[in-house]
Amino acid sequence: MRRVFTAAAALALPIALAGAPSVAASTGTSANAVPGVQVVHQPKNPAHLVSLGPDDVCDYTKSRPTLHRGSSGPAVQQAQCYLNQAIGAGLDEDGDFGQLTKSATKDFQQCAGIVVDGLVAAQTWSFLSFWANAPDAPFC
């Protein structure tokens, strides 16, 4: 079964990422429906679905390697740009993962409610990308 995300689902995503309980969506009713659960219907015109999302606010690279203190290059610039957008970190986007970038990463992870380790790995990349591109950024 292919999952399709609608604009309404995208608006609900920050709540789901923040640890709120999720509600299953359905395209109809059934005998097994849970009382009190809101049923979300798919739009009738799939041509209006958002498939890729907005343009990325940071465009140094699409690479998402695990970053740590001592890392350098365009992926670090990407992470620094995301940190600036997501939490207003005020980092120089110089591509050097030093103590300030590590500290900003930990601040972001704490704010996002994810593992606080100072590394920019898969989970942090995912949250950074989403938060940096959110219309109400910066957060925290």
Side-chain angles (χ1 to χ4, degrees):
M1 178 175 156
R2 189 175 142 220
R3 293 182 183 194
V4 178
F5 290 97
T6 64
L11 292 175
L13 189 56
I15 294 169
L17 291 176
S22 60
V23 176
S26 171
T27 57
T29 60
S30 77
N32 297 327
V34 177
V37 174
Q38 181 179 356
V39 176
V40 179
H41 295 278
Q42 295 292 331
K44 293 182 181 183
N45 187 351
H48 296 290
L49 295 177
V50 177
S51 61
L52 297 176
D55 291 331
D56 201 324
V57 296
C58 303
D59 64 354
Y60 291 101
T61 184
K62 299 226 181 276
S63 175
R64 301 293 185 264
T66 297
L67 303 174
H68 52 83
R69 190 160 182 203
S71 296
S72 62
V76 175
Q77 288 178 290
Q78 186 77 19
Q80 290 168 327
C81 179
Y82 280 160
L83 287 163
N84 288 338
Q85 295 296 319
I87 63 169
L91 297 170
D92 289 334
E93 295 171 16
D94 59 5
D96 178 30
F97 197 115
Q99 185 57 43
L100 292 176
T101 302
K102 181 177 180 177
S103 179
T105 300
K106 285 183 170 185
D107 290 345
F108 172 77
Q109 291 168 329
Q110 179 72 38
C111 177
I114 59 178
V115 174
V116 179
D117 59 8
L119 301 176
V120 180
Q123 182 183 45
T124 302
W125 275 119
S126 177
F127 276 72
L128 271 175
S129 162
F130 182 80
W131 284 37
N133 286 289
D136 293 332
F139 301 96
C140 302

